[in-house]
Amino acid sequence: MRSDHIYDDSTFETFFANPPEGIEMEALDRSRIPRHISCIMDGNGRWATARGMNRGEGHKAGIVSLREIITACVRLGVEVLSAYAFSTENWKRPAAEVNLLMHLFAQTFVDELPLLKRENVRVVFLGDLSALPKRTRDVFEYGLAETSGHTGMVLALAVNYGARAELARAARLLAQDALAGKIDPCDIDEDAVASRLYTAGLPDPELIIRTSGELRLSNYLLWQAAYSEFYITRTYWPDFNRWELIDAILAFQGRDRRFGGVHNREVS
């Protein structure tokens, strides 16, 4: 499922020109870019608080960072970029913050649609959109339709998403199919479960990036992250940029991914 929108060397070099000290672009192996990069975008509120701003300003700044990471991933040839935008647990936040987030989701999607079209990005959503306010849901559905024919990178936005809820939903769908005689319970395997997840048809994330220094998955992609590589940075999401992304990919490329097997150097 390689992206159809791969940039030539000149465009790539322009976007990644003048790297800061410590980032060695010549060390990047562009033939080993992760197919699917997933971001747990954490720290918007703390970023704002540290600057004497309200949390809403942090969420707005986080949108700017996401825009840059989308553009960077397109130029890197990433097939799927997924981002944890709003969890099932986030409904517990103050109502004013939740309402602001729902407004920002809708407004941002409208504002960013030209970028998504220009970059040939196809949008999909992970999560139960039925619980969202009608305005937000309508905008999301419009964006899905507008980008459905795009053949470049997939942007998978996790909104009202929880991994346990996703697995429970998959179990219900399998049970319904079994009751209807569409599947024999004895034939339920890992592929059958995966095909009922929100991520059906997408590769599992090879690299999961979490900002703000937290060391947990927070009910995110529990099934899909079985063999993901994790990269944790203390940087708050609004400060996470293309160079932080390159740093994460360089760390990924330096790891030996064995998938339960032996070390690569031991394989003849």
Side-chain angles (χ1 to χ4, degrees):
M1 195 182 70
R2 180 59 62 187
S3 169
D4 287 347
H5 202 160
I6 304 299
Y7 282 84
D8 61 27
D9 287 342
S10 62
T11 308
F12 175 89
E13 291 170 2
T14 298
F15 187 77
F16 288 104
N18 303 314
E21 185 177 354
I23 300 294
E24 299 180 3
M25 289 300 295
E26 62 273 14
L28 182 72
D29 185 347
R30 291 177 63 187
S31 70
R32 294 197 300 121
I33 300 297
R35 295 179 65 197
H36 180 173
I37 296 176
S38 192
C39 297
I40 301 177
M41 305 181 294
D42 198 12
N44 290 346
R46 280 166 285 173
W47 179 91
T49 299
R51 287 160 175 76
M53 303 175 180
N54 63 56
R55 291 174 60 86
E57 295 304 312
H59 294 308
K60 292 176 183 177
I63 291 167
V64 177
S65 292
L66 180 58
R67 181 186 305 134
E68 179 168 344
I69 298 308
I70 291 170
T71 305
C73 284
V74 169
R75 279 151 180 74
L76 286 163
V78 173
E79 293 182 27
V80 180
L81 170 65
S82 56
Y84 202 9
F86 190 87
S87 74
T88 50
E89 290 74 31
N90 286 156
W91 294 106
K92 300 173 185 176
R93 293 184 177 185
E97 183 176 353
V98 171
N99 291 337
L100 173 63
L101 282 168
M102 292 300 152
H103 171 75
L104 283 176
F105 289 157
Q107 187 59 52
T108 300
F109 209 69
V110 171
D111 293 343
E112 300 303 323
L113 199 52
L115 168 69
L116 301 176
K117 290 183 175 181
R118 184 170 65 252
E119 303 287 16
N120 194 29
V121 172
R122 179 168 66 89
V123 177
V124 300
F125 285 96
L126 315 177
D128 180 11
L129 299 187
S130 67
L132 302 182
K134 186 177 185 302
R135 162 65 176 162
T136 305
R137 191 170 65 248
D138 288 348
V139 169
F140 282 177
E141 290 174 354
Y142 174 75
L144 286 172
E146 287 291 298
T147 66
S148 62
H150 292 180
T151 57
M153 187 183 76
V154 173
L155 174 62
L157 296 172
V159 181
N160 195 28
Y161 173 88
R164 289 182 173 180
E166 177 185 36
L167 290 168
R169 172 180 175 272
R172 287 194 301 273
L173 292 173
L174 287 167
Q176 290 167 5
D177 286 346
L179 285 172
K182 297 178 180 179
I183 187 172
D184 187 323
C186 295
D187 293 331
I188 296 176
D189 56 12
E190 291 182 14
D191 288 339
V193 175
S195 70
R196 272 74 172 182
L197 300 177
Y198 289 119
T199 52
L202 301 178
D204 289 340
E206 292 182 278
L207 173 62
I208 295 180
I209 298 167
R210 179 155 192 164
T211 56
S212 86
E214 301 294 348
L215 303 174
R216 57 180 178 271
L217 269 175
S218 296
N219 197 20
Y220 183 58
L221 300 183
L222 298 180
W223 175 280
Q224 299 87 337
Y227 280 100
S228 300
E229 296 293 326
F230 291 87
Y231 179 85
I232 308 297
T233 174
R234 290 188 175 277
T235 301
Y236 293 142
W237 177 254
D239 288 330
F240 190 84
N241 57 28
R242 70 192 75 181
W243 307 117
E244 292 263 357
L245 177 65
I246 292 296
D247 213 24
I249 294 173
L250 287 171
F252 168 85
Q253 292 183 346
R255 298 180 188 178
D256 179 22
R257 307 187 73 216
R258 298 188 299 277
F259 300 97
V262 297
H263 193 284
N264 286 340
R265 289 196 297 268
E266 299 173 3
V267 179
S268 60

